Amino acid sequence: MVDTVAYERISARLESQHVTLVAVSKTKPASDIEALYAMGQRDFGENYVQELSGKQPQLPADIRWHFIGHLQRNKVRFIAPFVHLIHGVDSLRLLETVDKEAARAGRRIDCLLQVHIASEETKFGMDAGEIRELLMATDTGRKLPNVRICGLMGMASFSHDHLLVRREFQGLKSLFDDLRSGLMSSCDYFSILSMGMSADHETAIEEGSNMVRIGSLLFGVR
Ligand SMILES: *Cc1c(COP(=O)(O)O)cnc(C)c1O
């Protein structure tokens, strides 16, 4: 069930904070997406290629689809024709594949590099050193003309330790600021910091997030 009251409240607050709301609709039916679309929401996030490529043709063409899951290289081609932003790029090889598939689709695809900030082993992402290496190897993305590296994404630990979560967000924000003033200083599009989910988005925003990915608060538990 879509919680339209929560949507009104959350979207108004985020708009006043200049934070982009990505409504995470994974596992939810197209009718739930239509309900928020009717209220003005345009940015939706999905985790699974098969599910996203099934939903996309059934829904309005002006939806901005964010791919927020772990993306396998052999699946990039299914979303390359329409995806708005890929949040989870975690290797040079994946970025190269996105570049190739973007060229094939005749477009440029915006990407975020995923940073591993959580203390858990299971979360995907690169560390700060690997991010810098990737940026050097691609001349801050210029060697891959069909992608644009638009910022960073990270997921904090699933933890009730608020201080730990806050410190992880702070670490990501400081890497983002460092890269923006250094390596990426000539790229005005390097401007997106995607951090924060239902449980931790308020902390993330306090620590400098400008894009949050919210599912269960809007669509109910999965
Ligand atoms: C599922 C998911 C979300 C949304 O999670 P909620 O806790 O339901 O808000 C955000 N980001 C990523 C990467 C996800 O996989």
Side-chain angles (χ1 to χ4, degrees):
M1 264 294 283
V2 179
D3 189 339
T4 54
V5 176
Y7 175 72
E8 295 267 22
R9 179 174 44 81
I10 293 167
S11 62
R13 179 163 43 84
L14 294 179
E15 196 175 322
S16 75
Q17 295 170 312
H18 307 287
V19 173
T20 302
L21 169 61
V22 178
V24 176
S25 48
K26 64 182 175 211
T27 77
K28 300 296 176 182
S31 55
D32 281 5
I33 297 173
E34 276 161 352
L36 286 196
Y37 181 89
M39 298 177 75
Q41 180 65 22
R42 291 295 177 272
D43 291 276
F44 290 91
E46 291 278 341
N47 284 54
Y48 309 104
V49 168
Q50 203 175 348
E51 183 180 348
L52 173 54
S53 28
K55 282 174 175 172
Q56 186 266 341
Q58 308 174 40
L59 285 157
D62 63 341
I63 287 181
R64 293 185 288 269
W65 291 107
H66 296 246
F67 191 82
I68 64 170
H70 183 64
L71 184 56
Q72 289 170 292
R73 283 163 49 239
N74 61 1
K75 302 231 171 108
V76 175
R77 63 194 155 98
F78 298 110
I79 61 169
F82 64 83
V83 70
H84 173 70
L85 182 65
I86 297 176
H87 290 230
V89 172
D90 61 357
S91 73
L92 176 57
R93 288 178 79 203
L94 176 58
L95 193 66
E96 287 169 342
T97 302
V98 174
D99 180 69
K100 193 181 80 192
E101 295 298 339
R104 203 195 299 264
R107 56 195 299 259
R108 190 188 58 211
I109 296 178
D110 287 348
C111 294
L112 305 179
L113 302 179
Q114 184 169 356
V115 187
H116 185 273
I117 57 170
S119 50
E120 294 131 46
E121 285 291 321
T122 51
K123 299 231 166 73
F124 297 103
M126 297 178 278
D127 64 28
E130 291 167 327
I131 299 265
R132 285 176 200 282
E133 253 172 55
L134 180 151
L135 292 173
M136 302 286 231
T138 62
D139 188 15
T140 64
R142 285 180 200 87
K143 286 183 181 157
L144 301 174
N146 310 296
V147 294
R148 261 194 338 184
I149 299 170
C150 292
L152 302 178
M153 178 271 218
M155 288 171 82
S157 298
F158 282 114
S159 169
H160 293 293
D161 182 347
H162 295 293
L163 211 57
L164 173 71
V165 169
R166 188 177 292 279
R167 276 201 309 268
E168 290 170 356
F169 287 142
Q170 285 168 348
L172 181 53
K173 172 64 157 64
S174 93
L175 175 63
F176 176 74
D177 289 342
D178 275 5
L179 295 175
R180 193 138 76 137
S181 61
L183 276 170
M184 306 300 285
S185 57
S186 55
C187 307
D188 55 4
Y189 50 80
F190 187 86
S191 60
I192 300 175
L193 183 55
S194 168
M195 61 181 197
M197 309 176 23
S198 288
D200 57 17
H201 70 281
E202 290 179 20
T203 306
I205 292 167
E206 284 166 16
E207 297 306 333
S209 169
N210 58 28
M211 182 175 280
V212 293
R213 311 171 309 270
I214 296 184
S216 40
L217 278 183
L218 304 175
F219 293 108
V221 289
R222 289 178 296 273

